[in-house]
Amino acid sequence: MLIVQKYGGTSLQDIDRIHSAARRAASLAKQGSRVVVVVSAQGDSTDRMIQKAAQVNKRGAAREMDAYLAAGEQMSAGLMSMAIGAMGSPAVSLTGWQAGISTDGVHGNARIVDIDVSRIQRELDAGKAVVVAGFQGLDPAGDITTLGRGGSDTTAVALAAWLKADRCQIFTDVDGVYDRDPRLFPDATRFGRISYEKMLALIENGAQVLHDRSVEFARQYGIQIEVLSAFTGEPGTIVGGSEPF
Ligand code: ADP
Ligand code: ASP
Ligand code: MG
């Protein structure tokens, strides 16, 4: 069984949350699963980095912004890998490019065009959990790119597609996909399952719970995305799949 798990910023906000995500990944690895963990930058650090960059240069080049912003996810990856190690499971962190992720050259909103998964496969074969920094890749010029805000979801789904993963789990700070933002509308209702098309329509109307391109990849490659709470681990919402909706 190969499982891709993605943890968003809030789910990695502090050491307790990193430990709790690491514990979940390590326990799967100990049960014999091959585990790939995709991480976002911690908390609101990407927002803070964007503000800081603006203080340095209001119109900083997109290439340089990518070089800077990609570091947020890399810090999470190193920390998560060490946390999984602390749970007694061997782990290795990889940047997007070490993980073989190639993108086009659109800085700040790059598309994943190919993934050479050989390095990841080698690490999994060696019995390690693989932690991949989300939201980033390398363009044809060999420069660092980022995938657009929320793009770590797309890293996870694309890896699930290229690795032919059995499961793709997106852990976040709500317990699934609702018909409206559950933080703004307490009476919002949760979907047990939602089609790719409906999910894309929700995103178009502003639901940032999943990055739009992650759902497009999922539809293209027939990947079911599980959206669930990093805090409870209870089953959340399944996006896509073959059953009737
Ligand atoms: P992460 O850091 O895990 O990537 P995001 O902030 O990108 O998390 O996405 C989760 C947030 O999406 C939730 O906190 C919620 O407020 C918001 N959201 C907006 N619309 C919806 C919706 N229809 N269903 C669920 N969450 C939604
Ligand atoms: N850290 C990036 C962002 O805040 C990517 C992500 O979280 O998915 O947009
Ligand atoms: Mg997100």
Side-chain angles (χ1 to χ4, degrees):
M1 168 90 102
L2 198 162
I3 304 186
V4 176
Q5 297 194 323
K6 177 259 175 177
Y7 291 91
T10 330
S11 312
L12 301 170
Q13 195 156 288
D14 53 35
I15 301 299
D16 280 350
R17 289 187 178 177
I18 289 183
H19 274 148
S20 128
R23 198 171 296 116
R24 186 181 288 117
S27 100
L28 280 172
K30 284 178 188 166
Q31 288 161 29
S33 289
R34 293 156 75 84
V35 183
V36 175
V37 180
V38 174
V39 287
S40 290
Q42 278 187 279
D44 61 356
S45 58
T46 305
D47 292 329
R48 284 186 285 111
M49 290 171 89
I50 289 170
Q51 284 162 15
K52 199 181 219 179
Q55 288 167 20
V56 170
N57 181 343
K58 282 207 179 57
R59 277 185 294 277
R63 180 193 180 280
E64 308 312 319
M65 278 301 282
D66 279 355
Y68 179 49
L69 292 183
E73 268 67 15
Q74 290 170 48
M75 289 199 277
S76 287
L79 273 178
M80 177 60 83
S81 174
M82 288 190 275
I84 294 173
M87 306 293 164
S89 275
V92 62
S93 65
L94 300 174
T95 64
W97 41 100
Q98 286 176 310
I101 298 174
S102 297
T103 70
D104 65 18
V106 182
H107 286 289
N109 197 24
R111 272 177 196 279
I112 294 176
V113 293
D114 194 19
I115 308 181
D116 174 354
V117 292
S118 54
R119 174 75 187 270
I120 295 181
Q121 295 283 20
R122 208 160 62 238
E123 302 292 358
L124 291 171
D125 288 345
K128 291 178 194 162
V130 179
V131 183
V132 179
F135 176 59
Q136 57 186 258
L138 213 58
D139 75 5
D143 287 330
I144 297 172
T145 52
T146 63
L147 308 182
R149 298 303 309 268
S152 296
D153 298 328
T154 297
T155 304
V157 175
L159 283 172
W162 261 269
L163 287 163
K164 301 190 176 15
D166 300 289
R167 295 180 77 175
C168 179
Q169 300 181 311
I170 304 284
F171 288 94
T172 184
D173 57 4
V174 287
D175 61 358
V177 177
Y178 286 74
D179 58 349
R180 290 168 293 166
D181 187 339
R183 290 193 190 286
L184 304 179
F185 302 94
D187 60 339
T189 46
R190 184 159 58 104
F191 295 98
R193 192 184 277 272
I194 182 172
S195 67
Y196 299 121
E197 284 71 25
K198 267 197 186 159
M199 187 68 234
L200 285 167
L202 275 182
I203 294 171
E204 200 154 306
N205 287 321
Q208 96 275 20
V209 62
L210 285 176
H211 192 230
D212 52 357
R213 285 181 188 162
S214 71
V215 180
E216 285 163 7
F217 263 119
R219 180 170 61 178
Q220 187 179 343
Y221 291 92
I223 309 270
Q224 283 190 27
I225 308 175
E226 300 168 45
V227 179
L228 63 176
S229 163
F231 312 135
T232 68
E234 295 290 316
T237 299
I238 295 176
V239 181
S242 49
E243 285 169 41
F245 295 99

